[in-house]
Amino acid sequence: MVESSFDDKTECLTILVDGRFDYSCHKLFKEAFVSAKKAASVYEIDLSRVTYLDSSALGMLLLLRDHAGGEKADVRLKKPNGAVLDILKIANFHRLFDIEE
Amino acid sequence: MEQILNILIADDNPSDRILLKAILSQFGHNVISAVDGQEAVEKFNPNTIQLVCLDVKMPRKDGWEAALEIQQTAGDLFVPIIFLSGVADPIALSNCLRIGGTDFISKPYSPALITAKLNAIVRLLVMQKTLEEQRDAMSLYNEQLVHDQNVAKVVYENITHSNCLKDPALSTVHYGTHTFNGDVILAAYKPNGGMHLLLGDFTGHGLSAAIGALPLADIFFDWTKKGFLMRQIIPEINARLKSILPANMFCSAAFVDIKVNNKSIEIWNGGLPDLLFFSQQSKAPARFESKNLPLGILPPDVFECQIDPVTFVPGDRLVVFSDGVYEAQDKSGAMFCHSVLNPLYEGEIADDQALDWMVEQLTKEGVLENPHDDISCLSVRLDTNIGIESPDRGVPTSHHEAPADFSFEYVLNADSLRNTDPLPYVLQIITTVPGLSSFSSQIFMILSELYSNALEHGVLGLSSYKKSSSDGFSQYYDEREQRLAALTEGYVKISVKVTSSGNERVLALYVEDSGDGFDYQNISFDMSNSELLYNRGLALLDQLCHKLEFSKGGRGVTAYYHWQVGQES
C-alpha cells in the first residue's frame, strides 16, 4: 500500500509505503510523485512500515531521485527497519540518499 | 443478433416433427429432419449443424443415447442440444439434461417460447464463437512468444556463455524464475594467465532483466581478451549500462580478478551480499562487503572503484552469491542471512562443500520450489594454474606465415603514465604479426611484467620487499596508487622489434624507465621458493623468454622471444 501527502508550507512530499515494497507497488509509487500537484522541494519516504524491499523497489527510489533532480535531489528515506536498512546499505544507497534511522 | 442456423431435429411423431420444422423455418432457419435417434446420429455433421433438437422418447435410439453419440462426434466443437418432451416423462428429461442438454422445449409447442429459446441459443453460439476465436488467437500468440523467446535465448546464451565456466576451479549454481533471468555468471581467461569473473544480478526478473546482460557480457569478454584490467573494464561497463538502461534498472555485481603471477585476487563488490574468502589459516571466512553502488546508477564522472586486494595460497576458496540466496526466507519467515546462513559465516561448513550445502538448505527450506528471485552462486578454488594450463584456452591455428620485419617505440611520460594503460594497444600491434597471435598470452605476460617493473620499481621507486607480507601487499598497492596519482616526472619507453630469418622469428621487447636501476647481477631466478610474494616476476620472465638482458645499470631490460613458423605450434 502506498499513501502520499503534500505539505504546502514546507513543500515536502511524504510517501508512506506499507508492507512489502516490491514491483506490485510500482504504479502507485510512481503516481505518488509524478501526479503531485506542485513540484516538491523535499521528498520524505517513510519506510517505517516496510517489511521487505527488493531490487525493483531500489529501482523505484532511483526513479524518484531522477524525478526530483538527480544529483541535486533532496530525498530522505526515513526509519527503515533492520532488514530494509541492510539491503539499502549493501546497495550503497546511503551515497545517494539521506537515510534517517 | 440475427443468425441463420442449420438445425437438426429428430422426432418419431410426424405431426410434432412437421410442426416444429414449420415454426423453425418460419424464422428463416434451415431444418434437417430425422425420424429417430439413429437417423439423427447418421445425419449429424458437427461442421454444418449448429443446433440439435431431440425428442426424448424415440424408437431404435432414444434422445439420451443419440445425444451422447452426437456429443462424441462433435468433440471440441460446441453444438447445443435441446430436448423435446411431453409432460409425461419428467425423469427421462432430467436424465437427458444431466448429460449436457442445453435446454428443453415442452410439448405442445408454443411459438413464443420457441422464439425466446432460439434467441438465447443464438446468443450462446455467438459468445462461444468469440471465445473460441480469442482462445485460438491467444494460443497462436503464445506459440509465437515462446518461439521468439527460444530464438532470443539461443542468442542470449551464445553471448553470455562464451566463457570458461567449465574450468575445474569453478563450480556454479543457477536457478532462474523465468526462461530468461536477471542473473549472469561470466568467466574469462586473461591473456596473461589468471581469470576475470563476474556475478551480476539485474533489477527485476525475466526478459527485461536479461536484456542488460548482453552489453555487459560483450564488454566483459571483449575487454578481458584484449588485456584490459578490471579497473578499466568496470567503469566501461558502468558507463554503458548507465547510458542504455532506464533509471530504475541497474546491476548489482561482484567482479573478481584472479592474478596467478603474484597469487592474489582483487575484489570489487557493488550491491551484492558479502563475498566470502575461505583461507586455510582461519576457520571463519573473511567477508568482503559491498563498497560500491551497483553498476548503471552513477554517471561516469562520479563513478569510483573501491577494490579490495587479497593474497591467497593454492587451495583457498572464494564464494559469491546473489541476493536470491541472501534474502530467501526460511520456513519461519526469517531471511537466510539472519538464520540459515549463520553456520557458513561462522566457518562451520567446509569451504569446498559450501555450494552443495547452500543448495541443500534452499531445498530444505522450500525456496527452490517457489523462488521469489533468481538464485546464483559461484565458488572458486584459487590456484596458481588458473588460466595457464587450461585445456580450452583456444587452440592455436597454424597457417601460412609471411616474414615480418618492423619496429616501433612508444614513450610514455608522466601524464600518460597516470592516465593510460598502454599494454592492450602494444599487444594489439604485436599480434598483427602472422603466427604471433597464438602466443599472445605469453607475450602479454612478458610485456606486462616488464612494464609493471619499470613503472612500479623504476619510475615510482617502490620496493618489492614491501610485498613480503599480506598486509604489506595491500599497502604496496595503496602506495602505488598514491604515488602514481602524484606523478609529475618520469617516463617508460617501450621498444618493439620483430625480425625474420628463414623460419626463425625473433621478437625483442625493450623496456626502459627513468628510475635508478637496480643490482641485476645478484638477482635470483630461482622459482623453487615460490612462497616469496616478490621477485617472482623476473623468475617467470626468465622462464618464458629465450634470453633476458639488462642494460643501463638495470634501467633497461630486453626480453627476446623466439618462435618458428611453418610447423604445428
Side-chain angles (χ1 to χ4, degrees), chain B residues 291-302:
Chain B
K291 292 185 176 169
N292 300 276
L293 277 155
L295 297 166
I297 294 178
L298 289 176
D301 51 325
V302 289

PDB file of all heavy atoms in Angstrom, chain B residues 291-302:
ATOM      1  N   LYS B 291      31.166  -2.173  -1.282  1.00  0.00           N
ATOM      2  CA  LYS B 291      31.658  -0.822  -1.013  1.00  0.00           C
ATOM      3  C   LYS B 291      31.301   0.130  -2.154  1.00  0.00           C
ATOM      4  O   LYS B 291      31.716   1.275  -2.167  1.00  0.00           O
ATOM      5  CB  LYS B 291      33.181  -0.845  -0.864  1.00  0.00           C
ATOM      6  CG  LYS B 291      33.659  -1.567   0.375  1.00  0.00           C
ATOM      7  CD  LYS B 291      35.160  -1.446   0.524  1.00  0.00           C
ATOM      8  CE  LYS B 291      35.627  -2.083   1.819  1.00  0.00           C
ATOM      9  NZ  LYS B 291      37.087  -2.205   1.851  1.00  0.00           N
ATOM     10  N   ASN B 292      30.590  -0.399  -3.136  1.00  0.00           N
ATOM     11  CA  ASN B 292      30.292   0.403  -4.320  1.00  0.00           C
ATOM     12  C   ASN B 292      28.805   0.379  -4.607  1.00  0.00           C
ATOM     13  O   ASN B 292      28.099  -0.540  -4.211  1.00  0.00           O
ATOM     14  CB  ASN B 292      31.024  -0.172  -5.538  1.00  0.00           C
ATOM     15  CG  ASN B 292      32.532  -0.185  -5.351  1.00  0.00           C
ATOM     16  OD1 ASN B 292      33.193   0.798  -5.582  1.00  0.00           O
ATOM     17  ND2 ASN B 292      33.052  -1.322  -4.904  1.00  0.00           N
ATOM     18  N   LEU B 293      28.351   1.413  -5.339  1.00  0.00           N
ATOM     19  CA  LEU B 293      26.990   1.374  -5.841  1.00  0.00           C
ATOM     20  C   LEU B 293      26.943   0.354  -6.974  1.00  0.00           C
ATOM     21  O   LEU B 293      27.937   0.127  -7.644  1.00  0.00           O
ATOM     22  CB  LEU B 293      26.586   2.745  -6.359  1.00  0.00           C
ATOM     23  CG  LEU B 293      26.105   3.701  -5.279  1.00  0.00           C
ATOM     24  CD1 LEU B 293      26.310   5.132  -5.699  1.00  0.00           C
ATOM     25  CD2 LEU B 293      24.629   3.457  -4.977  1.00  0.00           C
ATOM     26  N   PRO B 294      25.789  -0.262  -7.177  1.00  0.00           N
ATOM     27  CA  PRO B 294      25.671  -1.192  -8.302  1.00  0.00           C
ATOM     28  C   PRO B 294      25.993  -0.514  -9.635  1.00  0.00           C
ATOM     29  O   PRO B 294      26.027   0.714  -9.724  1.00  0.00           O
ATOM     30  CB  PRO B 294      24.202  -1.621  -8.245  1.00  0.00           C
ATOM     31  CG  PRO B 294      23.796  -1.400  -6.830  1.00  0.00           C
ATOM     32  CD  PRO B 294      24.576  -0.220  -6.363  1.00  0.00           C
ATOM     33  N   LEU B 295      26.219  -1.311 -10.667  1.00  0.00           N
ATOM     34  CA  LEU B 295      26.563  -0.797 -11.992  1.00  0.00           C
ATOM     35  C   LEU B 295      25.348  -0.181 -12.676  1.00  0.00           C
ATOM     36  O   LEU B 295      24.248  -0.715 -12.588  1.00  0.00           O
ATOM     37  CB  LEU B 295      27.115  -1.926 -12.855  1.00  0.00           C
ATOM     38  CG  LEU B 295      28.420  -2.561 -12.374  1.00  0.00           C
ATOM     39  CD1 LEU B 295      28.667  -3.873 -13.103  1.00  0.00           C
ATOM     40  CD2 LEU B 295      29.566  -1.598 -12.566  1.00  0.00           C
ATOM     41  N   GLY B 296      25.567   0.930 -13.350  1.00  0.00           N
ATOM     42  CA  GLY B 296      24.494   1.532 -14.135  1.00  0.00           C
ATOM     43  C   GLY B 296      23.719   2.609 -13.397  1.00  0.00           C
ATOM     44  O   GLY B 296      22.660   3.046 -13.849  1.00  0.00           O
ATOM     45  N   ILE B 297      24.197   3.046 -12.231  1.00  0.00           N
ATOM     46  CA  ILE B 297      23.496   4.090 -11.474  1.00  0.00           C
ATOM     47  C   ILE B 297      24.221   5.427 -11.597  1.00  0.00           C
ATOM     48  O   ILE B 297      23.623   6.439 -11.947  1.00  0.00           O
ATOM     49  CB  ILE B 297      23.365   3.703  -9.986  1.00  0.00           C
ATOM     50  CG1 ILE B 297      22.457   2.479  -9.839  1.00  0.00           C
ATOM     51  CG2 ILE B 297      22.804   4.868  -9.189  1.00  0.00           C
ATOM     52  CD1 ILE B 297      22.311   2.000  -8.415  1.00  0.00           C
ATOM     53  N   LEU B 298      25.528   5.409 -11.313  1.00  0.00           N
ATOM     54  CA  LEU B 298      26.276   6.669 -11.307  1.00  0.00           C
ATOM     55  C   LEU B 298      26.755   7.032 -12.708  1.00  0.00           C
ATOM     56  O   LEU B 298      27.175   6.173 -13.464  1.00  0.00           O
ATOM     57  CB  LEU B 298      27.488   6.543 -10.390  1.00  0.00           C
ATOM     58  CG  LEU B 298      27.210   6.477  -8.896  1.00  0.00           C
ATOM     59  CD1 LEU B 298      28.508   6.249  -8.145  1.00  0.00           C
ATOM     60  CD2 LEU B 298      26.524   7.737  -8.417  1.00  0.00           C
ATOM     61  N   PRO B 299      26.707   8.324 -13.043  1.00  0.00           N
ATOM     62  CA  PRO B 299      27.302   8.760 -14.313  1.00  0.00           C
ATOM     63  C   PRO B 299      28.821   8.588 -14.247  1.00  0.00           C
ATOM     64  O   PRO B 299      29.400   8.607 -13.153  1.00  0.00           O
ATOM     65  CB  PRO B 299      26.913  10.236 -14.399  1.00  0.00           C
ATOM     66  CG  PRO B 299      26.493  10.639 -13.033  1.00  0.00           C
ATOM     67  CD  PRO B 299      26.053   9.412 -12.320  1.00  0.00           C
ATOM     68  N   PRO B 300      29.482   8.415 -15.422  1.00  0.00           N
ATOM     69  CA  PRO B 300      30.904   8.075 -15.443  1.00  0.00           C
ATOM     70  C   PRO B 300      31.783   9.040 -14.649  1.00  0.00           C
ATOM     71  O   PRO B 300      32.754   8.618 -14.025  1.00  0.00           O
ATOM     72  CB  PRO B 300      31.254   8.143 -16.930  1.00  0.00           C
ATOM     73  CG  PRO B 300      29.964   7.955 -17.635  1.00  0.00           C
ATOM     74  CD  PRO B 300      28.890   8.479 -16.746  1.00  0.00           C
ATOM     75  N   ASP B 301      31.457  10.341 -14.622  1.00  0.00           N
ATOM     76  CA  ASP B 301      32.367  11.288 -13.988  1.00  0.00           C
ATOM     77  C   ASP B 301      32.432  11.149 -12.465  1.00  0.00           C
ATOM     78  O   ASP B 301      33.404  11.563 -11.854  1.00  0.00           O
ATOM     79  CB  ASP B 301      32.006  12.736 -14.381  1.00  0.00           C
ATOM     80  CG  ASP B 301      30.530  13.026 -14.158  1.00  0.00           C
ATOM     81  OD1 ASP B 301      29.722  12.105 -14.362  1.00  0.00           O
ATOM     82  OD2 ASP B 301      30.185  14.150 -13.764  1.00  0.00           O
ATOM     83  N   VAL B 302      31.407  10.583 -11.842  1.00  0.00           N
ATOM     84  CA  VAL B 302      31.489  10.420 -10.383  1.00  0.00           C
ATOM     85  C   VAL B 302      31.659   8.962  -9.961  1.00  0.00           C
ATOM     86  O   VAL B 302      31.737   8.656  -8.778  1.00  0.00           O
ATOM     87  CB  VAL B 302      30.242  10.994  -9.670  1.00  0.00           C
ATOM     88  CG1 VAL B 302      30.250  12.504  -9.746  1.00  0.00           C
ATOM     89  CG2 VAL B 302      28.966  10.429 -10.232  1.00  0.00           C
TER      90      VAL B 302
END
